[in-house]
Amino acid sequence: MFVRRKMLAGGRTKVQVVKSVRNGDKVRQRVVRHVGTASSDAQLESLESLGCLIIEEIRLADSGQQSLFTPKAFADLAEQSRRARPDPGPFGVDLADCREDARIAIGVREAFGEVYAQLGWDRLFGARRMSANRNIREMVLARIARPQSKRAMTRDLERHGQLSLNLDHVYRSMDRIDERMIEAICRRSRDVAETLLPAPVTVIFYDTTTLYFESDAEGDDRHRGYSKDGKPHRVQVLFALLVTPEGLPVGYELHPGNTHEGGTLVQALDALERRHPGIAFTVVADAGMISRENRQALEQRGTPYILGARLKSCRVALKRQILDLDAYAPWGRDRHAEQLGRIRAISDGDARLVVTHSPRRARKDAHQRERQIERLRTRLAKGAGAASLGNRGTARFLDFPDGRVALNEEKIAAAASWDGLRGIVARGCDDADPRDLVIQYRQLAEIEACFRVNKHDLRIRPVFHWAPRRIRAHVAICYMAFCCLQHLRHRLAARGWRMSADRIRRALGELEISILYEKTGDRKFAMPSAPTEDARRIYRVLGLTWKRAPFVCTSQEGKSRQD
């Protein structure tokens, strides 16, 4: 919203409060309030001031926050106060002789600094390497507050008067994060996660994603491969993550960018068991992890698993049972059971194949296939040849007799028979209800949300480093920041306050302290800002208190500044 002037006939000016509203691709201006019409410069200035106050009142009403004063009352109070000479305050200082020296955003540092300490990372390198401990802590907190390169981080921290870090020392601290340190970080993250849960960790979700680099030069772990970010031209590494069903991280692994994701599962589980000997858990992963080698490895070690199934790749005998929809049982027993879908458990040796059929999903599959067929018909009508259609995903619906291209109705009908069907393979969960297994597998979406936090909120990629040790240190720092975020979000959710990472960051980012100094003395004073309700809840969960009373800064440097 903003205040707009509109010239009228006779030299008069209309003042309005206007809001920009998007309508499709166009942005139009809508009048929110007519403030008045001015016939002189003095009236115009007065109406514009009133328009600014109206905007503040509207924003305050939309925010839902309670206030003892309206914006106009604040403005009147400030105007009256500026006219009078203030009396010395409780610190014996004349406020008229004070000026603002700096404004420091301290909420993120204070709140996540507490989470960082509770995770036991404040002495990661031991009690004697205080500089390295401080540098890593600042990199983790800066990654949460404002993710950017290490060079930009040191520059911004110094510019805003929060901290002065030497960039060379920052890189040197990163070089101290070796494999032994990463093992300790992952071990500690799982130990602390278990303290937040009512029972030991028995189910672990596993998935992978790719992290691309700013540079395109290959080397060491940086290789081109299948990109989940849609950037096959970029070099990348493969990032594997292990989390609980609640989204609490328990470990991660980093692999070369040309590694097939299915071959990483066993290595990740080996690392987890190495860090936590004797741990018992069920692993849940998507269909990308199902392979004969993975299933054999899991069965040999006696690890229960729930994996996404590739139904169309099953044996012929299993396919007949999967496609026999009359043998499926309703998901529920109420009158809405048919809408929820149907389910069937099929024995597959020592494992169970649990298949579900959803009418809603079947309609979606049919709609997508019909769109593909319609596009094929259009291209065939335009004379498209086999060379242009053979490599597309829709080639499974085509025949190529004598070099010609034609739709195969039998293939289309065969594809339609799989509409709405999805399946999982479960082993070692014999006592579990098939419905519970499906629900547990569907919780795998939680790890996709974790990847979104890492990629969008923490900006773990693109990676600017090229040395292997720096790459691994960068991912370790981002993982530590991710742990801090997820642990705080879990503790807030346990109290019924669900907040996204961005909402937490915005609430804490508004907690500022204004530093004032005397023109005639050497003292400095701090004035904390008013916290929002979200900020109060975050501090309450962490056992912290945001004190709004001003206080004298105990640390002074240099002489008093002049206005």
Side-chain angles (χ1 to χ4, degrees), residues 240-257:
L241 186 63
L242 299 100
V243 301
T244 69
E246 296 79 12
L248 296 174
V250 296
Y252 78 94
E253 293 292 320
L254 209 58
H255 303 277

Side-chain angles (χ1 to χ4, degrees), residues 108 112 143-147 449 452-454 456-459 481-482 485-486 488-489 492 498-510 532 534-535 538:
V108 172
F112 280 105
R143 178 62 51 174
I144 298 172
R146 188 181 180 186
R452 285 194 295 272
V453 171
N454 275 285
H456 299 289
D457 293 291
L458 299 176
R459 296 184 189 176
F482 173 64
L485 265 174
Q486 292 299 96
L488 179 54
R489 291 181 64 194
L492 287 166
R498 295 189 178 275
M499 297 187 194
S500 65
D502 183 61
R503 183 176 171 182
I504 291 174
R505 185 159 49 199
R506 281 189 284 108
L508 293 176
E510 294 174 0
T532 62
D534 282 349
I538 293 170

Side-chain angles (χ1 to χ4, degrees), residues 114-364:
E114 179 66 21
V115 179
Y116 187 90
Q118 292 175 4
L119 282 165
W121 289 332
D122 48 347
R123 292 193 174 186
L124 196 62
F125 297 102
R128 302 181 67 179
R129 297 191 182 276
M130 300 306 297
S131 176
N133 286 325
R134 184 191 65 166
N135 290 337
I136 297 299
R137 177 181 182 273
E138 294 304 326
M139 280 187 274
V140 172
L141 300 184
R143 178 62 51 174
I144 298 172
R146 188 181 180 186
Q148 54 189 339
S149 68
K150 310 302 181 297
R151 182 182 297 275
M153 175 203 72
T154 56
R155 183 183 61 243
D156 284 358
L157 284 176
E158 187 169 5
R159 177 187 301 168
H160 297 298
Q162 295 186 2
L163 195 65
S164 179
L165 296 179
N166 184 288
L167 183 60
D168 291 334
H169 293 173
V170 167
Y171 286 145
R172 217 170 295 161
S173 300
M174 291 180 65
D175 293 340
R176 293 186 181 277
I177 301 180
D178 54 13
E179 293 298 331
R180 181 184 60 83
M181 193 66 63
I182 293 174
E183 289 281 316
I185 291 171
C186 293
R187 186 183 305 112
R188 183 61 182 169
S189 66
R190 186 262 174 185
D191 290 341
V192 178
E194 199 161 66
T195 64
L196 297 178
L197 301 175
V201 177
T202 56
V203 177
I204 291 178
F205 293 158
Y206 178 81
D207 204 353
T208 63
T209 191
T210 52
L211 309 177
Y212 63 88
F213 287 74
E214 188 67 20
S215 168
D216 291 336
E218 292 193 54
D220 299 308
D221 291 341
R222 295 173 289 124
H223 297 283
R224 289 180 175 85
Y226 174 72
S227 173
K228 295 191 176 184
D229 291 314
K231 297 181 183 294
H233 60 288
R234 293 286 186 87
V235 296
Q236 63 185 21
V237 291
L238 190 69
F239 178 59
L241 186 63
L242 299 100
V243 301
T244 69
E246 296 79 12
L248 296 174
V250 296
Y252 78 94
E253 293 292 320
L254 209 58
H255 303 277
N258 56 359
T259 305
H260 173 57
E261 63 175 352
T264 64
L265 176 61
V266 175
Q267 297 180 42
L269 299 182
D270 286 342
L272 185 65
E273 292 179 349
R274 182 176 65 251
R275 297 164 189 154
H276 308 280
I279 183 175
F281 57 89
T282 299
V283 60
V284 182
D286 64 13
M289 303 299 162
I290 188 170
S291 65
R292 182 178 302 175
E293 293 76 12
N294 281 344
R295 291 184 62 175
Q296 289 177 350
L298 292 171
E299 291 167 6
Q300 289 174 1
R301 70 188 347 159
T303 301
Y305 59 80
I306 303 173
L307 303 177
R310 298 190 182 99
L311 298 182
K312 297 178 184 179
S313 301
C314 294
R315 303 191 311 272
V316 175
L318 283 177
K319 286 183 180 180
R320 294 196 188 100
Q321 299 183 65
I322 293 170
L323 296 175
D324 184 10
L325 298 183
D326 294 333
Y328 284 61
W331 181 275
R333 294 182 174 84
D334 57 9
R335 60 190 180 91
H336 301 293
E338 192 64 29
Q339 299 178 9
L340 295 175
R342 303 169 69 82
I343 187 171
R344 183 181 185 184
I346 304 171
S347 177
D348 183 15
D350 294 337
R352 278 193 296 174
L353 179 64
V354 181
V355 187
T356 60
H357 178 269
S358 167
R360 181 179 179 181
R361 191 166 55 229
R363 290 192 295 270
K364 180 181 178 181

